[in-house]
Amino acid sequence: MDKEQIAQSYDLACKAFTDLNVDVESALTKLERISLSVHCWQGDDVGGFESLGEDLGGSGLAATGNYPGKARTPQELRLDYLKAFELIPGKHRVNIHAMYGEFKGEKIDRNEISIEHFQGWIDWAKENDLKIDFNPTLFAHPKARSGLTLSSKSKEIRDFWIQHVTCCRDIAESIGQALGSPCINNLWIPDGTKEGPVDRAGYRALLADSLDQIFAIKHDKANTRDFVEGKLFGIGSEAYVVGSHEFYLGYAVKNKIGLTLDMGHFHPTESVADKISAVIPFVPELLLHVSRGLHWDSDHVVIVNDDLIALAEEIVRSKAMDRIYLSLDYFDASINRIAAWVTGARATLKAMLYALLQPWETLNELEESGRHFQRLALLEVLKSMPFGAIWNYYCNQKDVPTGIDWVEKIEDYEKKVLKKRG
Ligand code: RNT
Ligand code: ZN
């Protein structure tokens, strides 16, 4: 799209939004401040770089598809990341899992990892002016094979995983310190059972005890923040999940730590958007895992749909954007993996822009004065506003392709780089 056309369309669109009492420039300033945490595991189908030298056991997370060209090394993954960042407007973050350390062929078990294994990521982040977030990895490991980790009735297994999360919190603190930005450390565990246990309470008491031991160690909030993430069900945990949403909501409120809501982790009729205003008054911070549930799968590539727009609207309306973090969380191995990143990231930012371009005060006035059909009409009008022109202008300003133009950049990268991978 040529620059003149973009500028002209933007001017017309601005006028249309201004007529509705929307401040476009202020919306773009707010959009610019949104830094998405982009998940490394889309780049290699949740593989990681460990050399534990044994069958790792099921992960409870299944990436399906075998599209060629996936990243096989930290270098390849980082190269792919930079390509994706070239096509996403704004400044974003890198989100890594503990299993993505650089172990140089050594057999370092999860309870032995330390900051040195992430030095490569830190150096690269510094070179590219990026920030890093972190996640302990309590799956894809022989000691997770029973499906129970921090809630295991085996003290040995439980202690092992407590040590792992403790290592990870130290690493997150060091990463945050090295890069000068709090490293968001998100804890999700796969614990659950295929059939309902008789001792539901017992496993939950053990999980609470493990978490108490873990969080008894305090870290500097300027360097790292802790979050806990629940789930409704997973592969192998169909009947019972120890760390359910209610469990973690209670735990986070009681202990004043962050809560994570994953869009794919609830019953399909539940709205994660609706939960934001319900929980934000009671937890210090909220992390949203932006995902797309489809039937049993909770991790399809994010696209602009009603759920995403509702989420974005509730974030904007919460007036607590400074306490809400956005992290992508999905994995699709059946399409170009960089395109999967770019699609989800652009969709999330687009939905945020859509929500930022709404005349909240007018809508609220209509609501408070009981003019409900007028509110409905205005919300409907917003759907056909020239929002795409503002999006294109923003992309152009941020030096990334507008419209469909990013697709050819990926095709080119596929030809020049990905096709050469074995
Ligand atoms: C799993 C959780 C979790 C993971 C990542 C890889 O259901 O959503 O966030 O996707 O830790
Ligand atoms: Zn998640």
Side-chain angles (χ1 to χ4, degrees), residues 39 41 46 60-61 95 97 99-100 135-137 139 186-190 229-231 233-234 260 262 264-265 289 291 298-299 328-331:
H39 57 319
W41 50 96
V46 209
L61 303 177
N95 193 10
H97 240 278
M99 52 155 47
Y100 288 79
N135 306 257
T137 312
F139 52 82
N186 180 57
L187 178 65
W188 171 76
I189 63 171
E229 177 184 9
K231 192 167 180 172
F233 79 94
T260 302
D262 184 308
H265 287 194
H289 269 190
S291 190
S298 57
D299 296 290
L328 303 178
D329 184 16
Y330 53 80
F331 28 92

PDB file of all heavy atoms in Angstrom, residues 39 41 46 60-61 95 97 99-100 135-137 139 186-190 229-231 233-234 260 262 264-265 289 291 298-299 328-331, ligand 1:
ATOM      1  N   HIS A  39       5.540 -15.765  23.071  1.00  0.00           N
ATOM      2  CA  HIS A  39       5.933 -17.079  23.601  1.00  0.00           C
ATOM      3  C   HIS A  39       6.875 -17.846  22.683  1.00  0.00           C
ATOM      4  O   HIS A  39       6.555 -18.114  21.529  1.00  0.00           O
ATOM      5  CB  HIS A  39       4.672 -17.889  23.852  1.00  0.00           C
ATOM      6  CG  HIS A  39       3.786 -18.057  22.631  1.00  0.00           C
ATOM      7  ND1 HIS A  39       3.532 -17.044  21.726  1.00  0.00           N
ATOM      8  CD2 HIS A  39       3.120 -19.135  22.163  1.00  0.00           C
ATOM      9  CE1 HIS A  39       2.743 -17.489  20.775  1.00  0.00           C
ATOM     10  NE2 HIS A  39       2.476 -18.758  21.009  1.00  0.00           N
ATOM     11  N   TRP A  41       7.548 -20.910  22.614  1.00  0.00           N
ATOM     12  CA  TRP A  41       7.170 -22.292  22.286  1.00  0.00           C
ATOM     13  C   TRP A  41       6.351 -22.441  21.011  1.00  0.00           C
ATOM     14  O   TRP A  41       6.215 -23.550  20.512  1.00  0.00           O
ATOM     15  CB  TRP A  41       6.493 -22.984  23.476  1.00  0.00           C
ATOM     16  CG  TRP A  41       5.367 -22.252  24.155  1.00  0.00           C
ATOM     17  CD1 TRP A  41       4.040 -22.415  23.926  1.00  0.00           C
ATOM     18  CD2 TRP A  41       5.474 -21.287  25.218  1.00  0.00           C
ATOM     19  NE1 TRP A  41       3.301 -21.598  24.763  1.00  0.00           N
ATOM     20  CE2 TRP A  41       4.149 -20.901  25.568  1.00  0.00           C
ATOM     21  CE3 TRP A  41       6.536 -20.699  25.901  1.00  0.00           C
ATOM     22  CZ2 TRP A  41       3.875 -19.960  26.574  1.00  0.00           C
ATOM     23  CZ3 TRP A  41       6.263 -19.768  26.898  1.00  0.00           C
ATOM     24  CH2 TRP A  41       4.955 -19.406  27.225  1.00  0.00           C
ATOM     25  N   VAL A  46       6.807 -26.463  21.287  1.00  0.00           N
ATOM     26  CA  VAL A  46       7.025 -26.767  22.712  1.00  0.00           C
ATOM     27  C   VAL A  46       8.106 -27.841  22.899  1.00  0.00           C
ATOM     28  O   VAL A  46       7.971 -28.744  23.721  1.00  0.00           O
ATOM     29  CB  VAL A  46       5.714 -27.188  23.442  1.00  0.00           C
ATOM     30  CG1 VAL A  46       5.783 -26.801  24.927  1.00  0.00           C
ATOM     31  CG2 VAL A  46       4.480 -26.575  22.845  1.00  0.00           C
ATOM     32  N   GLY A  60       1.348 -33.280  28.303  1.00  0.00           N
ATOM     33  CA  GLY A  60       0.006 -32.762  28.549  1.00  0.00           C
ATOM     34  C   GLY A  60      -0.319 -31.639  27.576  1.00  0.00           C
ATOM     35  O   GLY A  60      -1.422 -31.146  27.523  1.00  0.00           O
ATOM     36  N   LEU A  61       0.672 -31.245  26.785  1.00  0.00           N
ATOM     37  CA  LEU A  61       0.462 -30.205  25.773  1.00  0.00           C
ATOM     38  C   LEU A  61       0.769 -30.836  24.420  1.00  0.00           C
ATOM     39  O   LEU A  61       1.838 -31.414  24.248  1.00  0.00           O
ATOM     40  CB  LEU A  61       1.411 -29.025  26.012  1.00  0.00           C
ATOM     41  CG  LEU A  61       1.324 -28.352  27.380  1.00  0.00           C
ATOM     42  CD1 LEU A  61       2.377 -27.263  27.498  1.00  0.00           C
ATOM     43  CD2 LEU A  61      -0.050 -27.759  27.619  1.00  0.00           C
ATOM     44  N   ASN A  95       9.167 -14.453  25.642  1.00  0.00           N
ATOM     45  CA  ASN A  95       8.723 -15.266  26.776  1.00  0.00           C
ATOM     46  C   ASN A  95       9.299 -16.672  26.650  1.00  0.00           C
ATOM     47  O   ASN A  95       8.939 -17.412  25.730  1.00  0.00           O
ATOM     48  CB  ASN A  95       7.188 -15.307  26.783  1.00  0.00           C
ATOM     49  CG  ASN A  95       6.622 -15.859  28.077  1.00  0.00           C
ATOM     50  OD1 ASN A  95       7.348 -16.043  29.056  1.00  0.00           O
ATOM     51  ND2 ASN A  95       5.335 -16.144  28.079  1.00  0.00           N
ATOM     52  N   HIS A  97      10.630 -20.536  28.323  1.00  0.00           N
ATOM     53  CA  HIS A  97      10.361 -21.575  29.310  1.00  0.00           C
ATOM     54  C   HIS A  97      11.701 -22.115  29.783  1.00  0.00           C
ATOM     55  O   HIS A  97      12.692 -22.087  29.036  1.00  0.00           O
ATOM     56  CB  HIS A  97       9.573 -22.716  28.634  1.00  0.00           C
ATOM     57  CG  HIS A  97       8.238 -22.961  29.252  1.00  0.00           C
ATOM     58  ND1 HIS A  97       8.102 -23.716  30.389  1.00  0.00           N
ATOM     59  CD2 HIS A  97       6.989 -22.577  28.888  1.00  0.00           C
ATOM     60  CE1 HIS A  97       6.811 -23.774  30.699  1.00  0.00           C
ATOM     61  NE2 HIS A  97       6.111 -23.091  29.815  1.00  0.00           N
ATOM     62  N   MET A  99      12.836 -24.979  29.887  1.00  0.00           N
ATOM     63  CA  MET A  99      13.403 -26.027  29.013  1.00  0.00           C
ATOM     64  C   MET A  99      14.129 -25.449  27.780  1.00  0.00           C
ATOM     65  O   MET A  99      14.687 -26.205  26.979  1.00  0.00           O
ATOM     66  CB  MET A  99      12.315 -27.011  28.543  1.00  0.00           C
ATOM     67  CG  MET A  99      11.178 -26.293  27.947  1.00  0.00           C
ATOM     68  SD  MET A  99      10.086 -27.091  26.746  1.00  0.00           S
ATOM     69  CE  MET A  99       9.656 -28.625  27.331  1.00  0.00           C
ATOM     70  N   TYR A 100      14.124 -24.129  27.664  1.00  0.00           N
ATOM     71  CA  TYR A 100      14.816 -23.498  26.530  1.00  0.00           C
ATOM     72  C   TYR A 100      16.182 -22.934  26.919  1.00  0.00           C
ATOM     73  O   TYR A 100      16.751 -22.100  26.210  1.00  0.00           O
ATOM     74  CB  TYR A 100      13.951 -22.392  25.911  1.00  0.00           C
ATOM     75  CG  TYR A 100      12.779 -22.954  25.147  1.00  0.00           C
ATOM     76  CD1 TYR A 100      11.639 -23.389  25.814  1.00  0.00           C
ATOM     77  CD2 TYR A 100      12.814 -23.104  23.764  1.00  0.00           C
ATOM     78  CE1 TYR A 100      10.567 -23.938  25.138  1.00  0.00           C
ATOM     79  CE2 TYR A 100      11.738 -23.648  23.062  1.00  0.00           C
ATOM     80  CZ  TYR A 100      10.624 -24.066  23.763  1.00  0.00           C
ATOM     81  OH  TYR A 100       9.565 -24.610  23.083  1.00  0.00           O
ATOM     82  N   ASN A 135       9.105 -18.933  32.495  1.00  0.00           N
ATOM     83  CA  ASN A 135       8.154 -19.942  32.968  1.00  0.00           C
ATOM     84  C   ASN A 135       8.907 -21.185  33.432  1.00  0.00           C
ATOM     85  O   ASN A 135       9.700 -21.736  32.648  1.00  0.00           O
ATOM     86  CB  ASN A 135       7.237 -20.438  31.830  1.00  0.00           C
ATOM     87  CG  ASN A 135       6.515 -19.321  31.120  1.00  0.00           C
ATOM     88  OD1 ASN A 135       5.342 -19.099  31.349  1.00  0.00           O
ATOM     89  ND2 ASN A 135       7.211 -18.606  30.243  1.00  0.00           N
ATOM     90  N   PRO A 136       8.675 -21.648  34.644  1.00  0.00           N
ATOM     91  CA  PRO A 136       9.212 -22.953  35.032  1.00  0.00           C
ATOM     92  C   PRO A 136       8.581 -24.042  34.141  1.00  0.00           C
ATOM     93  O   PRO A 136       7.440 -23.888  33.691  1.00  0.00           O
ATOM     94  CB  PRO A 136       8.721 -23.131  36.472  1.00  0.00           C
ATOM     95  CG  PRO A 136       8.341 -21.760  36.944  1.00  0.00           C
ATOM     96  CD  PRO A 136       7.913 -20.995  35.726  1.00  0.00           C
ATOM     97  N   THR A 137       9.323 -25.126  33.876  1.00  0.00           N
ATOM     98  CA  THR A 137       8.768 -26.207  33.033  1.00  0.00           C
ATOM     99  C   THR A 137       8.550 -27.457  33.884  1.00  0.00           C
ATOM    100  O   THR A 137       9.510 -28.145  34.246  1.00  0.00           O
ATOM    101  CB  THR A 137       9.733 -26.555  31.884  1.00  0.00           C
ATOM    102  OG1 THR A 137      10.160 -25.347  31.230  1.00  0.00           O
ATOM    103  CG2 THR A 137       9.057 -27.442  30.850  1.00  0.00           C
ATOM    104  N   PHE A 139       6.623 -30.070  32.939  1.00  0.00           N
ATOM    105  CA  PHE A 139       6.065 -31.134  32.094  1.00  0.00           C
ATOM    106  C   PHE A 139       7.184 -31.643  31.207  1.00  0.00           C
ATOM    107  O   PHE A 139       8.317 -31.132  31.273  1.00  0.00           O
ATOM    108  CB  PHE A 139       4.866 -30.622  31.283  1.00  0.00           C
ATOM    109  CG  PHE A 139       5.153 -29.355  30.513  1.00  0.00           C
ATOM    110  CD1 PHE A 139       5.794 -29.392  29.278  1.00  0.00           C
ATOM    111  CD2 PHE A 139       4.784 -28.115  31.018  1.00  0.00           C
ATOM    112  CE1 PHE A 139       6.067 -28.228  28.569  1.00  0.00           C
ATOM    113  CE2 PHE A 139       5.051 -26.944  30.316  1.00  0.00           C
ATOM    114  CZ  PHE A 139       5.693 -27.005  29.094  1.00  0.00           C
ATOM    115  N   ASN A 186       5.657 -17.050  35.202  1.00  0.00           N
ATOM    116  CA  ASN A 186       4.338 -17.681  35.264  1.00  0.00           C
ATOM    117  C   ASN A 186       4.427 -19.170  35.552  1.00  0.00           C
ATOM    118  O   ASN A 186       5.095 -19.915  34.847  1.00  0.00           O
ATOM    119  CB  ASN A 186       3.614 -17.469  33.934  1.00  0.00           C
ATOM    120  CG  ASN A 186       2.237 -18.115  33.936  1.00  0.00           C
ATOM    121  OD1 ASN A 186       1.399 -17.798  34.794  1.00  0.00           O
ATOM    122  ND2 ASN A 186       2.000 -19.038  33.023  1.00  0.00           N
ATOM    123  N   LEU A 187       3.719 -19.592  36.584  1.00  0.00           N
ATOM    124  CA  LEU A 187       3.747 -21.009  36.971  1.00  0.00           C
ATOM    125  C   LEU A 187       2.470 -21.724  36.553  1.00  0.00           C
ATOM    126  O   LEU A 187       1.380 -21.421  37.056  1.00  0.00           O
ATOM    127  CB  LEU A 187       3.919 -21.121  38.494  1.00  0.00           C
ATOM    128  CG  LEU A 187       3.918 -22.545  39.054  1.00  0.00           C
ATOM    129  CD1 LEU A 187       5.121 -23.342  38.551  1.00  0.00           C
ATOM    130  CD2 LEU A 187       3.903 -22.534  40.588  1.00  0.00           C
ATOM    131  N   TRP A 188       2.627 -22.628  35.589  1.00  0.00           N
ATOM    132  CA  TRP A 188       1.529 -23.536  35.256  1.00  0.00           C
ATOM    133  C   TRP A 188       2.041 -24.954  35.450  1.00  0.00           C
ATOM    134  O   TRP A 188       3.168 -25.275  35.059  1.00  0.00           O
ATOM    135  CB  TRP A 188       1.074 -23.367  33.788  1.00  0.00           C
ATOM    136  CG  TRP A 188       0.105 -24.456  33.430  1.00  0.00           C
ATOM    137  CD1 TRP A 188      -1.206 -24.541  33.803  1.00  0.00           C
ATOM    138  CD2 TRP A 188       0.392 -25.660  32.689  1.00  0.00           C
ATOM    139  NE1 TRP A 188      -1.753 -25.711  33.332  1.00  0.00           N
ATOM    140  CE2 TRP A 188      -0.799 -26.413  32.651  1.00  0.00           C
ATOM    141  CE3 TRP A 188       1.535 -26.167  32.069  1.00  0.00           C
ATOM    142  CZ2 TRP A 188      -0.894 -27.659  32.009  1.00  0.00           C
ATOM    143  CZ3 TRP A 188       1.449 -27.409  31.424  1.00  0.00           C
ATOM    144  CH2 TRP A 188       0.252 -28.134  31.395  1.00  0.00           C
ATOM    145  N   ILE A 189       1.249 -25.795  36.083  1.00  0.00           N
ATOM    146  CA  ILE A 189       1.651 -27.195  36.259  1.00  0.00           C
ATOM    147  C   ILE A 189       0.567 -28.091  35.661  1.00  0.00           C
ATOM    148  O   ILE A 189      -0.597 -27.704  35.616  1.00  0.00           O
ATOM    149  CB  ILE A 189       1.884 -27.557  37.745  1.00  0.00           C
ATOM    150  CG1 ILE A 189       0.592 -27.413  38.588  1.00  0.00           C
ATOM    151  CG2 ILE A 189       2.988 -26.669  38.346  1.00  0.00           C
ATOM    152  CD1 ILE A 189       0.712 -27.968  39.996  1.00  0.00           C
ATOM    153  N   PRO A 190       0.948 -29.284  35.204  1.00  0.00           N
ATOM    154  CA  PRO A 190      -0.053 -30.123  34.531  1.00  0.00           C
ATOM    155  C   PRO A 190      -0.906 -30.958  35.491  1.00  0.00           C
ATOM    156  O   PRO A 190      -1.776 -31.692  35.054  1.00  0.00           O
ATOM    157  CB  PRO A 190       0.830 -31.056  33.687  1.00  0.00           C
ATOM    158  CG  PRO A 190       2.093 -31.186  34.471  1.00  0.00           C
ATOM    159  CD  PRO A 190       2.286 -29.875  35.178  1.00  0.00           C
ATOM    160  N   GLU A 229      -1.244 -19.989  37.244  1.00  0.00           N
ATOM    161  CA  GLU A 229      -2.224 -20.194  36.170  1.00  0.00           C
ATOM    162  C   GLU A 229      -3.003 -21.501  36.343  1.00  0.00           C
ATOM    163  O   GLU A 229      -2.421 -22.579  36.391  1.00  0.00           O
ATOM    164  CB  GLU A 229      -1.476 -20.233  34.823  1.00  0.00           C
ATOM    165  CG  GLU A 229      -2.371 -20.505  33.625  1.00  0.00           C
ATOM    166  CD  GLU A 229      -1.585 -20.623  32.309  1.00  0.00           C
ATOM    167  OE1 GLU A 229      -0.343 -20.671  32.354  1.00  0.00           O
ATOM    168  OE2 GLU A 229      -2.240 -20.680  31.256  1.00  0.00           O
ATOM    169  N   GLY A 230      -4.306 -21.416  36.412  1.00  0.00           N
ATOM    170  CA  GLY A 230      -5.154 -22.602  36.538  1.00  0.00           C
ATOM    171  C   GLY A 230      -5.674 -23.063  35.190  1.00  0.00           C
ATOM    172  O   GLY A 230      -5.399 -22.473  34.151  1.00  0.00           O
ATOM    173  N   LYS A 231      -6.442 -24.144  35.223  1.00  0.00           N
ATOM    174  CA  LYS A 231      -6.952 -24.735  33.984  1.00  0.00           C
ATOM    175  C   LYS A 231      -8.176 -25.579  34.316  1.00  0.00           C
ATOM    176  O   LYS A 231      -8.324 -26.043  35.446  1.00  0.00           O
ATOM    177  CB  LYS A 231      -5.841 -25.603  33.381  1.00  0.00           C
ATOM    178  CG  LYS A 231      -6.071 -26.060  31.963  1.00  0.00           C
ATOM    179  CD  LYS A 231      -4.777 -26.630  31.375  1.00  0.00           C
ATOM    180  CE  LYS A 231      -4.996 -27.085  29.943  1.00  0.00           C
ATOM    181  NZ  LYS A 231      -3.771 -27.470  29.272  1.00  0.00           N
ATOM    182  N   PHE A 233      -9.311 -28.404  32.312  1.00  0.00           N
ATOM    183  CA  PHE A 233      -8.942 -29.802  32.083  1.00  0.00           C
ATOM    184  C   PHE A 233      -7.832 -29.837  31.051  1.00  0.00           C
ATOM    185  O   PHE A 233      -7.572 -28.845  30.364  1.00  0.00           O
ATOM    186  CB  PHE A 233     -10.131 -30.633  31.589  1.00  0.00           C
ATOM    187  CG  PHE A 233     -10.435 -30.453  30.122  1.00  0.00           C
ATOM    188  CD1 PHE A 233      -9.894 -31.327  29.174  1.00  0.00           C
ATOM    189  CD2 PHE A 233     -11.230 -29.410  29.675  1.00  0.00           C
ATOM    190  CE1 PHE A 233     -10.152 -31.140  27.821  1.00  0.00           C
ATOM    191  CE2 PHE A 233     -11.488 -29.226  28.319  1.00  0.00           C
ATOM    192  CZ  PHE A 233     -10.950 -30.087  27.394  1.00  0.00           C
ATOM    193  N   GLY A 234      -7.145 -30.976  30.982  1.00  0.00           N
ATOM    194  CA  GLY A 234      -6.101 -31.118  29.974  1.00  0.00           C
ATOM    195  C   GLY A 234      -6.044 -32.560  29.506  1.00  0.00           C
ATOM    196  O   GLY A 234      -6.830 -33.397  29.966  1.00  0.00           O
ATOM    197  N   THR A 260      -3.016 -15.618  36.629  1.00  0.00           N
ATOM    198  CA  THR A 260      -3.053 -15.726  35.166  1.00  0.00           C
ATOM    199  C   THR A 260      -4.390 -16.316  34.730  1.00  0.00           C
ATOM    200  O   THR A 260      -4.843 -17.314  35.289  1.00  0.00           O
ATOM    201  CB  THR A 260      -1.910 -16.642  34.665  1.00  0.00           C
ATOM    202  OG1 THR A 260      -0.675 -16.114  35.113  1.00  0.00           O
ATOM    203  CG2 THR A 260      -1.906 -16.744  33.144  1.00  0.00           C
ATOM    204  N   ASP A 262      -5.989 -17.810  31.313  1.00  0.00           N
ATOM    205  CA  ASP A 262      -5.721 -18.222  29.934  1.00  0.00           C
ATOM    206  C   ASP A 262      -7.067 -18.342  29.220  1.00  0.00           C
ATOM    207  O   ASP A 262      -7.980 -19.012  29.712  1.00  0.00           O
ATOM    208  CB  ASP A 262      -4.967 -19.563  29.957  1.00  0.00           C
ATOM    209  CG  ASP A 262      -4.559 -20.042  28.586  1.00  0.00           C
ATOM    210  OD1 ASP A 262      -5.433 -20.098  27.688  1.00  0.00           O
ATOM    211  OD2 ASP A 262      -3.383 -20.392  28.398  1.00  0.00           O
ATOM    212  N   GLY A 264      -8.022 -20.065  26.927  1.00  0.00           N
ATOM    213  CA  GLY A 264      -8.416 -21.417  26.534  1.00  0.00           C
ATOM    214  C   GLY A 264      -8.678 -22.342  27.714  1.00  0.00           C
ATOM    215  O   GLY A 264      -8.884 -23.532  27.528  1.00  0.00           O
ATOM    216  N   HIS A 265      -8.679 -21.802  28.922  1.00  0.00           N
ATOM    217  CA  HIS A 265      -8.733 -22.660  30.107  1.00  0.00           C
ATOM    218  C   HIS A 265     -10.045 -22.665  30.865  1.00  0.00           C
ATOM    219  O   HIS A 265     -10.085 -22.989  32.043  1.00  0.00           O
ATOM    220  CB  HIS A 265      -7.611 -22.270  31.072  1.00  0.00           C
ATOM    221  CG  HIS A 265      -6.261 -22.701  30.606  1.00  0.00           C
ATOM    222  ND1 HIS A 265      -5.153 -22.714  31.411  1.00  0.00           N
ATOM    223  CD2 HIS A 265      -5.846 -23.161  29.405  1.00  0.00           C
ATOM    224  CE1 HIS A 265      -4.105 -23.144  30.728  1.00  0.00           C
ATOM    225  NE2 HIS A 265      -4.501 -23.405  29.492  1.00  0.00           N
ATOM    226  N   HIS A 289      -3.299 -14.887  29.298  1.00  0.00           N
ATOM    227  CA  HIS A 289      -2.736 -15.712  28.238  1.00  0.00           C
ATOM    228  C   HIS A 289      -3.701 -15.647  27.065  1.00  0.00           C
ATOM    229  O   HIS A 289      -4.810 -16.182  27.133  1.00  0.00           O
ATOM    230  CB  HIS A 289      -2.544 -17.159  28.714  1.00  0.00           C
ATOM    231  CG  HIS A 289      -1.183 -17.386  29.295  1.00  0.00           C
ATOM    232  ND1 HIS A 289      -0.697 -18.623  29.600  1.00  0.00           N
ATOM    233  CD2 HIS A 289      -0.195 -16.505  29.578  1.00  0.00           C
ATOM    234  CE1 HIS A 289       0.544 -18.498  30.063  1.00  0.00           C
ATOM    235  NE2 HIS A 289       0.865 -17.227  30.069  1.00  0.00           N
ATOM    236  N   SER A 291      -5.172 -16.701  23.905  1.00  0.00           N
ATOM    237  CA  SER A 291      -5.211 -17.970  23.198  1.00  0.00           C
ATOM    238  C   SER A 291      -6.579 -18.117  22.544  1.00  0.00           C
ATOM    239  O   SER A 291      -7.432 -17.232  22.662  1.00  0.00           O
ATOM    240  CB  SER A 291      -4.962 -19.101  24.209  1.00  0.00           C
ATOM    241  OG  SER A 291      -4.758 -20.315  23.530  1.00  0.00           O
ATOM    242  N   SER A 298      -7.043 -25.919  23.609  1.00  0.00           N
ATOM    243  CA  SER A 298      -7.060 -24.581  24.211  1.00  0.00           C
ATOM    244  C   SER A 298      -6.027 -23.662  23.592  1.00  0.00           C
ATOM    245  O   SER A 298      -5.789 -22.578  24.088  1.00  0.00           O
ATOM    246  CB  SER A 298      -6.799 -24.705  25.718  1.00  0.00           C
ATOM    247  OG  SER A 298      -5.567 -25.355  25.962  1.00  0.00           O
ATOM    248  N   ASP A 299      -5.394 -24.093  22.513  1.00  0.00           N
ATOM    249  CA  ASP A 299      -4.210 -23.373  22.035  1.00  0.00           C
ATOM    250  C   ASP A 299      -4.169 -23.110  20.534  1.00  0.00           C
ATOM    251  O   ASP A 299      -3.119 -23.253  19.921  1.00  0.00           O
ATOM    252  CB  ASP A 299      -2.950 -24.148  22.451  1.00  0.00           C
ATOM    253  CG  ASP A 299      -2.796 -24.202  23.953  1.00  0.00           C
ATOM    254  OD1 ASP A 299      -2.504 -23.140  24.528  1.00  0.00           O
ATOM    255  OD2 ASP A 299      -2.979 -25.272  24.540  1.00  0.00           O
ATOM    256  N   LEU A 328       1.079 -14.051  24.735  1.00  0.00           N
ATOM    257  CA  LEU A 328       0.465 -14.972  23.775  1.00  0.00           C
ATOM    258  C   LEU A 328       0.708 -16.400  24.258  1.00  0.00           C
ATOM    259  O   LEU A 328       1.754 -16.706  24.823  1.00  0.00           O
ATOM    260  CB  LEU A 328       1.082 -14.791  22.385  1.00  0.00           C
ATOM    261  CG  LEU A 328       1.008 -13.381  21.796  1.00  0.00           C
ATOM    262  CD1 LEU A 328       1.701 -13.343  20.426  1.00  0.00           C
ATOM    263  CD2 LEU A 328      -0.444 -12.918  21.663  1.00  0.00           C
ATOM    264  N   ASP A 329      -0.255 -17.277  24.043  1.00  0.00           N
ATOM    265  CA  ASP A 329      -0.052 -18.677  24.430  1.00  0.00           C
ATOM    266  C   ASP A 329      -0.856 -19.611  23.530  1.00  0.00           C
ATOM    267  O   ASP A 329      -2.044 -19.844  23.758  1.00  0.00           O
ATOM    268  CB  ASP A 329      -0.441 -18.890  25.898  1.00  0.00           C
ATOM    269  CG  ASP A 329      -0.135 -20.323  26.341  1.00  0.00           C
ATOM    270  OD1 ASP A 329       0.622 -21.005  25.634  1.00  0.00           O
ATOM    271  OD2 ASP A 329      -0.643 -20.756  27.395  1.00  0.00           O
ATOM    272  N   TYR A 330      -0.182 -20.095  22.495  1.00  0.00           N
ATOM    273  CA  TYR A 330      -0.795 -21.084  21.598  1.00  0.00           C
ATOM    274  C   TYR A 330       0.330 -21.729  20.825  1.00  0.00           C
ATOM    275  O   TYR A 330       1.476 -21.244  20.842  1.00  0.00           O
ATOM    276  CB  TYR A 330      -1.803 -20.411  20.642  1.00  0.00           C
ATOM    277  CG  TYR A 330      -1.234 -19.234  19.883  1.00  0.00           C
ATOM    278  CD1 TYR A 330      -0.444 -19.428  18.749  1.00  0.00           C
ATOM    279  CD2 TYR A 330      -1.447 -17.926  20.297  1.00  0.00           C
ATOM    280  CE1 TYR A 330       0.111 -18.353  18.057  1.00  0.00           C
ATOM    281  CE2 TYR A 330      -0.892 -16.850  19.615  1.00  0.00           C
ATOM    282  CZ  TYR A 330      -0.117 -17.074  18.500  1.00  0.00           C
ATOM    283  OH  TYR A 330       0.432 -16.020  17.831  1.00  0.00           O
ATOM    284  N   PHE A 331       0.039 -22.830  20.169  1.00  0.00           N
ATOM    285  CA  PHE A 331       1.066 -23.444  19.326  1.00  0.00           C
ATOM    286  C   PHE A 331       0.406 -24.240  18.224  1.00  0.00           C
ATOM    287  O   PHE A 331      -0.475 -25.048  18.453  1.00  0.00           O
ATOM    288  CB  PHE A 331       2.035 -24.327  20.137  1.00  0.00           C
ATOM    289  CG  PHE A 331       1.444 -24.936  21.373  1.00  0.00           C
ATOM    290  CD1 PHE A 331       0.866 -26.187  21.347  1.00  0.00           C
ATOM    291  CD2 PHE A 331       1.465 -24.227  22.572  1.00  0.00           C
ATOM    292  CE1 PHE A 331       0.307 -26.737  22.491  1.00  0.00           C
ATOM    293  CE2 PHE A 331       0.904 -24.765  23.725  1.00  0.00           C
ATOM    294  CZ  PHE A 331       0.325 -26.029  23.680  1.00  0.00           C
TER     295      PHE A 331
HETATM  296  C1  RNT B   1      -0.923 -24.889  29.521  1.00  0.00           C
HETATM  297  C2  RNT B   1      -0.787 -23.460  29.890  1.00  0.00           C
HETATM  298  C3  RNT B   1       0.617 -22.925  29.864  1.00  0.00           C
HETATM  299  C4  RNT B   1       1.412 -23.449  28.693  1.00  0.00           C
HETATM  300  C5  RNT B   1       2.814 -22.909  28.605  1.00  0.00           C
HETATM  301  C6  RNT B   1       3.653 -23.647  27.610  1.00  0.00           C
HETATM  302  O1  RNT B   1      -2.205 -25.292  29.362  1.00  0.00           O
HETATM  303  O2  RNT B   1      -1.615 -22.678  29.077  1.00  0.00           O
HETATM  304  O3  RNT B   1       0.589 -21.545  29.912  1.00  0.00           O
HETATM  305  O4  RNT B   1       0.770 -23.257  27.478  1.00  0.00           O
HETATM  306  O5  RNT B   1       3.383 -22.903  29.856  1.00  0.00           O
END
